[in-house]
Amino acid sequence: MKAVRFHETGAADVLRHEDVELPVPGAGEVRVRVAGSAYNPADGGMRGGFLPIPITLPHTPGYDVSGTVDAVGAGVTGLAAGDRVVGFLPMAADGSAAEFVVAPAEALVPAPTRIPLADAAGLPSVGLTAWQALFEAADLEAGRRVLINGAGGPVGGYAVQLAHRAGAHVIATASPRSAEAVRAAGADEVVDHTATSLLDAVTEPVDVLLNLAPVTEEGFAALATRVRDGGVVVSTTPRVATPEDPARGVRAVTVYVHPDADVLRRLVALVDAGELRVEIARRVPLAELPALHAEADAGRVHGKVVVVPAGA
C-alpha cells in the first residue's frame, strides 16, 4: 500500500510518499481502508521532533481517521468488514496517512451518515478537545458566560457550537476571515482581536475562559482577570502556564485530549441530528501531505484539512 512516513525527524521534506507493507490486524484490532485522515498541528510537532510523544521511526502520522473496516483481528466483536467507522487513534502508533491503517477496535465508532465519509475524519480529536474542555474541565452549564479565545480555529468551531447548544452565552474572538463562520456557529458576541483589545471588549465577568490560541504569559494572566470569582480558566496550549487565582477561587485546567469512544458516539449523533456541523476547509491527496506540512509550518493552513488516499 501507499503511505506517507518520515524516517527521521526534521522539516516537512523528511516526509516520503512510499510503498509499505500492508498492516495485519492483531488481537483486538481492525484494519481500516482509509477514506480520510485529518491533519493536526501535533502531526507537525511529532515530525519536527519537538513534541514529546514516543513514536518509533519510521512513523506514519495521522491520528484522526475515517474509513471502512477491511479486516478484523481475533477477539473483535461489534465490528465487521464493510462497516463505516471514525476514530481517534493512539498518537504514538502508526497513523492514518496511508491507504490502510490498523486501529484498536475500541477506538472506533460508527461514522456519521449525514456527511461524506472522508470529511468525518475532521471530527474526532478536535471535537473531543472541545467537549472535554467545556464539559469535563469547565463544567459548563446553561446560562453561564464563556469567553472562547481562538474561536476561529478547528477546535474553536466545535467549542462555539457545543457551548451555544448547552445554553451558554458565548463570547468569541475571531479575525475578520472567520468572524462570520463563528457567528453562524452560535457566538452571541464576536470580538475582532485584530482590531480591538479583548480586555476592552469584555467588560462583564465570564464564568469560563477557554483559551485555544497562542498567547503570552502576561496576556493570558490579564485575560484571566475577566473571570469571575469561583470561575475557571481552561487552556489547550500547554507551552504557557494556565493562570489561576486561588484567592478568588479561580481554578486552572490545561486540557490534553484523550480518547473517549462514548463521547465520540455522542458527537457523531449530534452530527447526524444536524446539531453539530463538521467544517472542512479542503481536501488534499495523500501524495501532497508533505506540501501540506510545509504550508502548516509557514502558517498558511487555515481550517481543518482532510488528506484523502488515491481512489478513496
Side-chain angles (χ1 to χ4, degrees), residues 100-285:
F100 295 86
V101 64
V102 164
E106 63 186 12
L108 303 173
V109 305
T113 59
R114 191 183 183 97
I115 61 174
L117 183 57
D119 291 357
L123 175 65
S125 67
V126 285
L128 286 171
T129 300
W131 181 283
Q132 290 165 10
L134 291 172
F135 304 117
E136 296 176 13
D139 299 320
L140 186 67
E141 296 177 351
R144 294 192 173 170
R145 290 168 53 84
V146 56
L147 170 58
I148 301 175
N149 187 37
V155 175
Y158 289 112
V160 171
Q161 292 183 74
L162 291 169
H164 172 74
R165 182 180 178 275
H169 180 90
V170 182
I171 307 165
T173 72
S175 68
R177 180 183 59 236
S178 54
E180 189 53 44
V182 168
R183 193 171 287 108
D188 298 284
E189 303 176 43
V190 179
V191 179
D192 178 0
H193 63 84
T194 68
T196 305
S197 164
L198 193 51
L199 292 175
D200 292 338
V202 182
T203 56
E204 296 182 36
V206 298
D207 299 282
V208 178
L209 166 59
L210 172 56
N211 183 67
L212 306 170
V215 65
T216 65
E217 186 173 339
E218 296 78 10
F220 204 178
L223 276 182
T225 65
R226 294 296 186 263
V227 178
R228 67 163 178 82
D229 292 1
V232 58
V233 181
V234 182
S235 180
T236 62
T237 55
R239 293 187 181 182
V240 175
T242 306
E244 62 180 347
D245 189 344
R248 296 196 300 115
V250 175
R251 60 189 180 92
V253 184
T254 303
V255 171
Y256 300 90
V257 63
H258 56 269
D260 190 324
D262 290 337
V263 170
L264 184 55
R265 285 188 188 89
R266 296 177 71 173
L267 294 172
V268 167
L270 291 176
V271 172
D272 278 339
E275 297 182 34
L276 187 66
R277 294 196 310 276
V278 176
E279 301 286 352
I280 302 300
R282 59 189 168 115
R283 299 179 186 177
V284 302

Side-chain angles (χ1 to χ4, degrees), residues 14-32:
V14 301
L15 290 165
R16 304 179 191 173
H17 183 237
E18 59 190 8
D19 291 311
V20 302
E21 293 272 339
L22 187 68
V24 177
E29 296 179 331
V30 301
R31 186 171 65 212
V32 176

